């Protein structure tokens, strides 16, 4: 089924009828397709399901094409990013093509789905702006971090689950809550893997967030745990990337049990996701939560 979605994306792109767009988009590798897996787990048999997944994946790709330019990231999913190979202009323009074609297709869907997905794109753009501006200084405010993450990551995951529930005539509020909590847990795990995994496993550089100016949950918890003088040292290291700083950070993550603290927070959201749909009897959705928590990249 995931293969069918990839093919639908290709056919949407072919419809635009421009060989340059085709060539550029052939460089995009599909990721885990978490959002499609959710949709398929909620309404596997609806005739519009492949279109809905293709639309969502194209919006997700558009946001990453823009994000890699904004973050100046040159590796995506283990390969050189589109901006690394073809430059920023092409990455932005290709993102625009993906985004607008997806929206054109979205207008053919149930109005409630169009509203849910388009509103999620407003939220994820708002989240990206907050993420960038929060990068100006070390952020010690957990509330702000969660708000940004709800927008940047959870919004589209939540809208995907909600839209699938609308297609399947299910209680869409429950699925929206499921997606929202799963999305928060997903990003917390992403932020955790950034500090625990090697770049080979991640398919992108490791310990990159701090260098990029992202004060993710591991760093906020570390700040809270450190004695006063070391809090100052941590702030002074913000956005730097030296081997001795990595060692300093790793030693303290271990000393203050930061990894397990962050894991517990992700699990708390994972449990909230599962309890949001507890009466829905959908084992696949529960498995998606478990696999997401246990993932290594
Ligand atoms: C990745 O975050 C980025 C996002 C999940 C969302 C980015 C959103 C935008 C750029 C707005 C897009 C707007 C339109 C119109 C499509 P990250 O940098 O923390 O994750 P990464 O490590 O995978 O790059
Ligand atoms: Mg990024």
């Amino acid at each position: 089924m995931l293969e069918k979605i990839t093919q639908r994306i290709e056919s949407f792109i072919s419809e635009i009828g421009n060989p340059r767009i085709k060539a550029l988009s052939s460089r995009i590798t599909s990721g885990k397709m978490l959002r499609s897996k959710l949709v398929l787990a909620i309404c596997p048999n609806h005739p519009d399901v492949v279109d809905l997944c293709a639309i969502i994946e194209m919006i997700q790709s558009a946001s990453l094409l823009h994000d890699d330019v904004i973050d100046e990231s040159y590796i995506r999913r283990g390969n050189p990013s589109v901006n690394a190979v073809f430059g920023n202009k092409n990455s932005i323009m290709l993102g625009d093509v993906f985004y607008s074609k997806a929206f054109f297709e979205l207008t053919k869907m149930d109005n409630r789905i169009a509203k849910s997905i388009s509103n999620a794109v407003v939220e994820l753009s708002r989240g990206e702006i907050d993420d960038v501006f929060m990068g100006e200084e070390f952020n010690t405010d957990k509330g702000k971090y969660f708000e940004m993450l709800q927008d940047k990551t959870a919004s589209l995951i939540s809208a995907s689950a909600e839209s699938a529930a609308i297609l399947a005539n299910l209680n869409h509020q429950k699925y929206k809550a499921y997606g929202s909590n799963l999305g928060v847990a997903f990003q917390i795990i992403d932020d955790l893997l950034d500090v625990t995994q090697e770049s080979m496993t991640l398919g992108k550089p490791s310990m990159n967030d701090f260098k990029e100016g992202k004060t993710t949950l591991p760093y906020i918890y570390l700040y809270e745990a450190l004695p006063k003088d070391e809090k100052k040292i941590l702030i002074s290291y913000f956005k730097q990337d030296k081997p001795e700083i990595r060692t300093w950070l790793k030693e303290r993550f271990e000393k203050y049990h930061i990894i397990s603290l962050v894991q517990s927070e992700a699990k708390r959201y994972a449990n909230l996701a599962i309890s949001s749909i507890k009466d829905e009897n959908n084992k696949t959705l529960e498995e998606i939560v478990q696999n997401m928590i246990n993932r290594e990249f």
Side-chain angles (χ1 to χ4, degrees), residues 6-57:
T6 314
Q7 284 165 2
R8 187 62 49 89
I9 296 172
E10 280 167 19
S11 70
F12 281 160
I13 296 297
S14 294
E15 283 170 21
I16 302 168
N18 180 306
R20 280 200 194 92
I21 292 174
K22 244 187 138 171
L24 286 172
S25 60
S26 69
R27 297 291 307 210
I28 298 180
T29 42
S30 51
K32 294 180 271 287
M33 298 176 94
L34 168 70
R35 293 153 194 80
S36 293
K37 284 178 190 156
L38 285 188
V39 171
L40 292 170
I42 298 168
C43 65
N45 301 316
H46 193 281
D48 288 344
V49 72
V50 175
D51 279 6
L52 177 62
C53 290
I55 289 167
I56 294 168
E57 294 300 336

Side-chain angles (χ1 to χ4, degrees), residues 68 71-76 79-85 88 205:
D68 283 340
D71 286 345
E72 297 176 39
S73 297
Y74 301 108
I75 303 216
R76 169 68 62 190
N79 293 305
S81 54
V82 171
N83 50 313
V85 183
N88 286 347

Side-chain angles (χ1 to χ4, degrees), residues 35 58-68 70-71 73 75-76 95-96 98-100 103 121-129 131 148 151-154 187 190-191 194 204-205 208-209 212 214 216:
R35 293 153 194 80
M58 284 175 76
I59 293 173
Q60 171 65 7
S61 289
S63 75
L64 296 179
L65 284 162
H66 287 184
D67 178 70
D68 283 340
I70 295 164
D71 286 345
S73 297
I75 303 216
R76 169 68 62 190
D96 292 341
F98 268 58
Y99 170 69
S100 32
F103 262 61
V121 181
V122 174
E123 289 175 350
L124 71 94
S125 309
R126 184 173 69 188
E128 182 78 352
I129 288 194
D131 196 15
M148 179 275 292
D151 273 349
K152 191 183 73 168
T153 311
Q187 190 62 47
D190 224 53
D191 294 347
D194 176 85
K204 56 186 179 186
N208 200 43
D209 286 341
E212 276 188 355
K214 297 182 188 201
T216 56

